[in-house]
Amino acid sequence: MAASAPDLGRDDTSRRELPDDLVRDMDRDELSRLVRDANYAGLSFGQMAERAGAAGHPVSKPYFQKIATNAINRAPTPDLLKGIAAALRKPLTVVQRAAARQYLDYRATELAGYDEDVRVIVAHLAGMERSERRRWLAMMEADEQAKRETE
């Protein structure tokens, strides 16, 4: 039997009376929502725990219950994310992105057609201040100019 998560008041007009930080936290629940959606679809928290364990990345039933109610206050470890992905039968990247958004307020953008090194560089640059990015751009342009001059 699937346990239902409490209504977090997402559509309730009384939420305007809540403190801004609480409203923000309620809106950032992507990983919790993935777990709740699976639960609402009939997958029990116990079944989730069994799937995670069978995949070699154990996650307890109470942990799934806490995620569903947005009661976990720190990002899950990489191993827990693998267990959650296995339990939900979702790609690991989907679960990682949901966790990044919920716990770090980070929104990932997919770069298709590039290898991992390029994605890491772009993610690194995206986290920099504008002045730092301008400096990196100037270095890359200088490198390209030097290559053209030596050809």
Side-chain angles (χ1 to χ4, degrees), residues 33-98:
R33 193 173 316 125
L34 286 177
V35 173
R36 280 195 309 274
D37 288 350
N39 184 245
Y40 292 155
L43 184 64
S44 73
F45 297 122
Q47 290 169 316
M48 291 179 202
E50 288 172 13
R51 286 181 179 180
H57 303 284
V59 179
S60 70
K61 175 183 172 181
Y63 192 84
F64 278 110
Q65 291 168 321
K66 287 178 181 178
I67 289 176
T69 59
N70 205 355
I72 302 291
N73 61 7
R74 74 172 64 156
T77 65
D79 199 53
L80 284 172
L81 290 175
K82 289 175 186 171
I84 294 166
L88 302 179
R89 295 194 174 142
K90 299 271 186 197
L92 179 58
T93 56
V94 169
V95 173
Q96 289 170 324
R97 286 175 187 201

Side-chain angles (χ1 to χ4, degrees), residues 6-137:
D7 180 8
L8 297 176
R10 184 170 299 286
D11 297 322
D12 188 2
T13 56
S14 66
R15 86 186 234 177
R16 281 180 251 159
E17 301 165 12
L18 297 172
D20 289 341
D21 59 338
L22 181 57
V23 171
R24 183 196 67 234
D25 289 344
M26 288 170 59
D27 285 341
R28 285 195 344 223
D29 72 338
E30 280 82 350
L31 183 61
S32 296
R33 193 173 316 125
L34 286 177
V35 173
R36 280 195 309 274
D37 288 350
N39 184 245
Y40 292 155
L43 184 64
S44 73
F45 297 122
Q47 290 169 316
M48 291 179 202
E50 288 172 13
R51 286 181 179 180
H57 303 284
V59 179
S60 70
K61 175 183 172 181
Y63 192 84
F64 278 110
Q65 291 168 321
K66 287 178 181 178
I67 289 176
T69 59
N70 205 355
I72 302 291
N73 61 7
R74 74 172 64 156
T77 65
D79 199 53
L80 284 172
L81 290 175
K82 289 175 186 171
I84 294 166
L88 302 179
R89 295 194 174 142
K90 299 271 186 197
L92 179 58
T93 56
V94 169
V95 173
Q96 289 170 324
R97 286 175 187 201
R101 178 67 180 140
Q102 180 166 333
Y103 294 100
L104 304 173
D105 197 19
Y106 174 80
R107 215 175 266 285
T109 302
E110 181 63 31
L111 293 174
Y114 296 99
D115 64 16
E116 184 64 24
D117 292 339
V118 171
R119 287 191 292 271
V120 168
I121 291 168
V122 170
H124 179 73
L125 291 172
M128 290 182 175
E129 295 292 324
R130 184 176 176 90
S131 61
E132 289 179 277
R133 285 194 311 266
R134 281 195 307 258
R135 187 174 65 85
W136 275 85
L137 178 60

